[in-house]
Amino acid sequence: MGSRLWLLERQKITADTLLRAEEYAAEALAWLTEKKIAAAVRVRAERHTLTCAMLYIEIEKDGGEIRRFDYLWSVNHGV
């Protein structure tokens, strides 16, 4: 398990980077629905600062219960 978010570590936070961050996070969490642990997983990415983005993750269980997680993701720019 893991994600490909590390591939974006040196990228500027653009609309394209945010879309890829959403895709990579959703891909990393897909096993939850594949294994029937969750009914749905939703991921949304937003720019937080010039060098940080926020990933908002919702995991919905079969009974409708929703768990929310916020993940602050930072780029490195070669520092």
Side-chain angles (χ1 to χ4, degrees):
M1 282 193 262
S3 77
R4 297 190 294 159
L5 284 172
W6 68 271
L7 294 172
L8 304 176
E9 191 172 86
R10 295 178 186 254
Q11 302 294 312
K12 290 182 182 177
I13 298 179
T14 63
D16 180 60
T17 306
L18 292 172
L19 285 174
R20 287 191 290 157
E22 287 177 358
E23 177 185 316
Y24 293 168
E27 177 183 271
L29 297 168
W31 68 274
L32 292 168
T33 53
E34 292 166 2
K35 300 285 186 185
K36 308 287 189 223
I37 295 169
V41 174
R42 290 177 285 280
V43 179
R44 182 174 47 93
E46 290 182 4
R47 174 183 245 154
H48 187 61
T49 67
L50 288 176
T51 60
C52 294
M54 194 66 129
L55 290 175
Y56 298 98
I57 299 165
E58 289 186 350
I59 299 173
E60 183 178 345
K61 295 209 166 200
D62 282 333
E65 176 190 354
I66 295 175
R67 296 253 176 136
R68 291 179 176 87
F69 302 89
D70 299 342
Y71 174 72
L72 184 63
W73 167 71
S74 176
V75 295
N76 188 336
H77 294 302
V79 177

